[in-house]
Amino acid sequence: MVSYNILADCHRVKSDYSYTDEAHLGIGYRHKGILAELRYLNADCACLQEVETAYYNDVLYPAMKRWVSLVTVLSGSWWENLCERRCVELLVMFSF
């Protein structure tokens, strides 16, 4: 079992990561490393926290669609978050 907090972009505050190059903080850059690490570890299941819906729908799910995924909304109700345009944070579990 692998568990990662992948840092949703909506929670990213530059002052918290002042030691990190800005180019390395974006999810586009980190995505390649996340997938490479999951392949390397070859776990039976992986739990990813702080997954934003757009990242899951547009990038993560297409890359991982051959595995079974379970998705849970962690921050408020789906409708409340969409109406208030808050960050919708997901917990995603993949079973390989």
Side-chain angles (χ1 to χ4, degrees), residues 44-48 56 60 64 67-69 92-96:
D44 292 328
C45 65
C47 183
L48 305 178
Y56 176 77
L60 189 60
M64 306 281 285
W67 292 284
V68 176
S69 63
V92 181
M93 182 174 282
F94 290 100
S95 178
F96 302 110

Side-chain angles (χ1 to χ4, degrees), residues 42-84:
N42 196 28
D44 292 328
C45 65
C47 183
L48 305 178
Q49 303 95 36
E50 287 194 23
V51 178
E52 287 185 281
T53 53
Y55 173 65
Y56 176 77
N57 291 330
D58 300 340
V59 181
L60 189 60
Y61 178 74
M64 306 281 285
K65 66 183 174 186
R66 65 184 177 137
W67 292 284
V68 176
S69 63
L70 171 68
V71 179
T72 302
V73 177
L74 292 180
S75 49
S77 78
W78 188 268
W79 182 249
E80 287 172 331
N81 287 315
L82 288 178
C83 290
E84 296 178 20

Side-chain angles (χ1 to χ4, degrees), residues 30-40 55 60 63-64:
R30 291 182 288 126
H31 174 72
K32 294 174 193 165
I34 292 166
L35 291 185
E37 188 75 9
L38 292 176
R39 281 192 293 270
Y40 172 78
Y55 173 65
L60 189 60
M64 306 281 285

Side-chain angles (χ1 to χ4, degrees), residues 5-16:
N5 180 318
I6 64 170
L7 182 61
D9 280 342
C10 64
H11 294 311
R12 194 170 50 119
V13 178
K14 180 60 181 161
S15 61
D16 292 343

